[in-house]
Amino acid sequence: MFEVRTRIGRVVLQVVATILILPYLFPLIVMVKGAFAGEGAKNFSAVLRVPGFGRFFLNSIIISVAVIALVYVVTMMAAFGFAKLHIRAREVYFWLLLACLTLPEVVLLAPLFVTDFKLGLYDTYWAVILPLAALQVPFAVLLTRNFINGLPNELFEAARVDGANSWRGFRYLVIPLTRPIAAAVVIFTLVAAWNDYLMPLVFLQSPQLQTITLVPQFFVGEFSNDQTKILASAVITAIPEIVAYLSLQRLFERGLAAGSIK
């Protein structure tokens, strides 16, 4: 990170940052504006009156929390192993894990569909939770490993001298010191799990298991396509993510900067 000390430099940096943000901000403005078009606030009331809306919201929470928990546990343990433990051919395993980043979600649908049927997971929460968690782990490990690499080796050596094994070092050193990068992992995972549309659409057929991302389908039919209510549902869907980001903003920014590739 760098620091701009002069007033002119700060002004130039602010202008450049604003210009870079505009392409991302414009779609959000259009979305909010479209959500209030037509009937205005009644568009949001119509979304909230969708049959089972509360259940869809709860299903999204259950799936997102489960995915975040799985990704956090797996990521922290894997990143600690790749960064600080002496494992034979660990770089080979690490790059094999990163190779999973090249797999798009749609390519996995057919094998996952067959696997879910054979394991009896189809039309259950696990049919969505496990694939979503697996898809998020490689990138999360990439970020977290770089963060843990920055922790001084002397800390772990001192812990070993005091009699602590790898598990105690992980529990009492890694977990407390990795809160910033953990916040970044939580935000990225929440966004991916909460916004996912394809997995719930394919693997959750029961109405009582569907998620909030499937709400717009209630306003699209053979003879209707109410875009204002679709945009209103998108705004409502985005609110929990915005709240989560604002709550973890400082830790998220610190973790993202420290865990980035250097």
Side-chain angles (χ1 to χ4, degrees):
M1 302 299 291
F2 61 91
E3 182 179 355
V4 179
R5 298 182 181 275
T6 64
R7 177 175 297 181
I8 296 177
R10 288 196 294 268
V11 171
V12 171
L13 182 61
Q14 185 65 48
V15 172
V16 172
T18 303
I19 294 174
L20 293 175
I21 290 173
L22 285 178
Y24 301 95
L25 188 61
F26 182 73
L28 297 178
I29 296 175
V30 173
M31 181 180 71
V32 175
K33 183 179 178 181
F36 284 97
E39 299 179 352
K42 291 183 179 180
N43 293 328
F44 296 90
S45 299
V47 174
L48 296 176
R49 289 197 304 268
V50 168
F53 179 85
R55 183 64 193 182
F56 297 156
F57 197 88
L58 178 61
N59 291 336
S60 292
I61 293 176
I62 293 173
I63 291 174
S64 298
V65 170
V67 171
I68 289 171
L70 277 176
V71 171
Y72 176 79
V73 172
V74 173
T75 295
M76 290 302 165
M77 296 181 70
F80 174 60
F82 286 131
K84 296 299 182 181
L85 299 183
H86 299 288
I87 302 174
R88 180 177 298 179
R90 70 178 183 181
E91 291 299 319
V92 175
Y93 297 133
F94 179 69
W95 286 103
L96 286 175
L97 181 65
L98 293 188
C100 297
L101 289 172
T102 63
L103 295 175
E105 185 177 349
V106 67
V107 173
L108 303 174
L109 288 181
L112 284 175
F113 193 85
V114 175
T115 303
D116 286 340
F117 259 112
K118 290 187 175 180
L119 295 178
L121 298 177
Y122 184 75
D123 202 23
T124 67
Y125 289 131
W126 292 110
V128 175
I129 292 171
L130 294 177
L132 284 179
L135 288 170
Q136 297 306 308
V137 165
F139 181 67
V141 171
L142 176 63
L143 280 180
T144 309
R145 186 203 191 199
N146 289 324
F147 187 96
I148 296 178
N149 269 330
L151 300 179
N153 291 326
E154 290 76 11
L155 287 175
F156 298 93
E157 292 173 359
R160 293 190 186 98
V161 169
D162 290 338
N165 54 21
S166 298
W167 167 249
R168 293 178 66 87
F170 172 77
R171 180 180 177 183
Y172 294 106
L173 292 178
V174 174
I175 297 300
L177 295 175
T178 56
R179 283 184 297 176
I181 196 63
V185 170
V186 166
I187 293 297
F188 280 124
T189 306
L190 173 63
V191 171
W194 188 268
N195 289 339
D196 192 75
Y197 175 80
L198 191 58
M199 292 286 183
L201 179 66
V202 175
F203 298 119
L204 299 177
Q205 296 300 310
S206 301
Q208 64 269 21
L209 294 178
Q210 293 180 350
T211 61
I212 196 172
T213 53
L214 302 180
V215 170
Q217 69 184 0
F218 287 89
F219 305 105
V220 178
E222 185 177 358
F223 303 104
S224 65
N225 187 1
D226 195 337
Q227 290 296 317
T228 58
K229 293 180 176 59
I230 292 174
L231 292 174
S233 65
V235 172
I236 293 174
T237 301
I239 291 176
E241 299 168 283
I242 296 173
V243 172
Y245 173 76
L246 293 177
S247 301
L248 301 173
Q249 182 178 4
R250 290 187 177 181
L251 288 175
F252 173 77
E253 292 173 352
R254 285 172 51 198
L256 191 60
S260 60
I261 300 176
K262 302 177 181 178

